[in-house]
């Protein structure tokens, strides 16, 4: 089959600089089956493809609704359905992301004068979820339907050893009962890692702080706070 993958956020958001994990998994899955799969950065001539997969993360990413009615188009993601978004089939959700999906796009941008550092998440990072879910059930969050944090995938499911850094998208990593084993595994890799979505300050302990702050962390620590008092507490640690 001839398949197109569209990262809608990439098309509509001029300064979007983060790859779509679902798109990379879909790309890897269908390419492994022998299909011809490509990233498409416009909505033209979609009838030339047997299948078109469209994903978006942000609700304010614009897309012509007529595109979504085409018989060969499938679409999903929090940008379309927010907290009601369907999960990817297990065989795709747990497939190794193919980080080469964006190669041609990124190379063309850099060749045209863009800074390589603007595309660091496309080029330097392995990206994935070790855990999924959160027990906070905040009204503003796409995870409000969860009641706990669970182990989602092993690090081996998305790690590319040729990439020098790791970006974790977990929503409340420290709320998982297995957090310590996963931190120790990350430390053993000796690669800088970061939690892109932040960490829950409200459940920090001395043990968690000691392991986190002595790790090979990438960039600044980001925490979720309840209020200003919580912020003052963490700044003193």
């Amino acid at each position: 089959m001839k398949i197109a993958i569209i990262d809608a956020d990439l098309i509509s958001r001029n300064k979007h600089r983060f790859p779509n994990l679902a798109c990379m998994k879909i790309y890897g899955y269908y390419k492994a089956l022998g299909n011809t799969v490509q990233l498409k950065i416009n909505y033209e001539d979609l009838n030339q493809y047997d299948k078109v997969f469209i994903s978006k993360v942000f609700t304010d990413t614009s897309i012509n609704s007529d595109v979504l009615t085409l018989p060969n188009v499938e679409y999903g993601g929090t940008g379309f359905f927010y907290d009601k978004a369907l999960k990817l089939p297990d065989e795709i959700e747990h497939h190794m992301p193919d980080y080469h999906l964006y190669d041609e796009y990124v190379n063309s941008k850099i060749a045209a004068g863009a800074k390589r550092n603007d595309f660091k998440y496309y080029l330097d990072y392995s990206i994935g979820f070790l855990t999924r879910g959160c027990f906070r059930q905040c009204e503003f969050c796409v995870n409000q339907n969860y009641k706990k944090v669970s182990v989602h995938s092993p690090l081996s499911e998305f790690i590319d050893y040729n990439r020098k850094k790791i970006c974790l998208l977990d929503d409340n990593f420290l709320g998982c009962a297995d957090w310590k084993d996963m931190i120790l595994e990350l430390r053993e890799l000796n690669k800088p890692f970061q939690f892109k979505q932040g960490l829950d300050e409200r459940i920090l302990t001395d043990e968690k702080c000691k392991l986190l702050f002595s790790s090979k962390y990438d960039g600044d620590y980001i925490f979720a706070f309840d209020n200003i008092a919580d912020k003052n507490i963490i700044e003193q640690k």
Side-chain angles (χ1 to χ4, degrees), residues 17-139:
R17 293 290 184 267
F18 200 88
N20 184 300
L21 181 58
C23 286
M24 293 191 294
K25 289 182 178 184
I26 293 169
Y27 178 60
Y29 176 77
Y30 280 100
K31 194 171 74 169
L33 293 177
N35 299 287
T36 300
V37 193
Q38 68 177 93
L39 178 71
K40 190 166 175 56
I41 54 175
N42 58 56
Y43 298 103
E44 300 171 4
D45 303 319
L46 297 185
N47 60 335
Q48 297 181 5
Y49 297 89
D50 298 298
K51 279 185 176 292
V52 178
F53 294 100
I54 303 176
S55 177
K56 68 172 183 170
V57 175
F58 301 101
T59 56
D60 61 347
T61 292
S62 60
I63 179 172
N64 188 329
S65 59
D66 290 341
V67 170
L68 306 181
T69 66
L70 296 175
N72 60 334
V73 167
E74 296 184 28
Y75 60 95
T78 55
F80 288 110
F81 303 108
Y82 201 59
D83 64 312
K84 302 298 189 297
L86 294 175
K87 297 179 181 179
L88 289 170
D90 281 350
E91 63 271 21
I92 298 178
E93 176 61 36
H94 295 286
H95 196 280
M96 177 75 176
D98 192 321
Y99 297 107
H100 296 294
L101 172 63
Y102 294 93
D103 282 359
E104 184 176 347
Y105 167 78
V106 170
N107 291 337
S108 68
K109 290 293 185 182
I110 294 175
K115 297 179 181 179
R116 185 191 183 282
N117 191 57
D118 288 341
F119 299 93
K120 62 183 180 180
Y121 285 106
Y122 296 87
L123 298 169
D124 298 332
Y125 287 81
S126 296
I127 301 171
F129 290 87
L130 290 173
T131 68
R132 295 303 293 260
C134 178
F135 51 82
R136 297 291 181 190
Q137 296 184 297
C138 300
E139 292 182 1

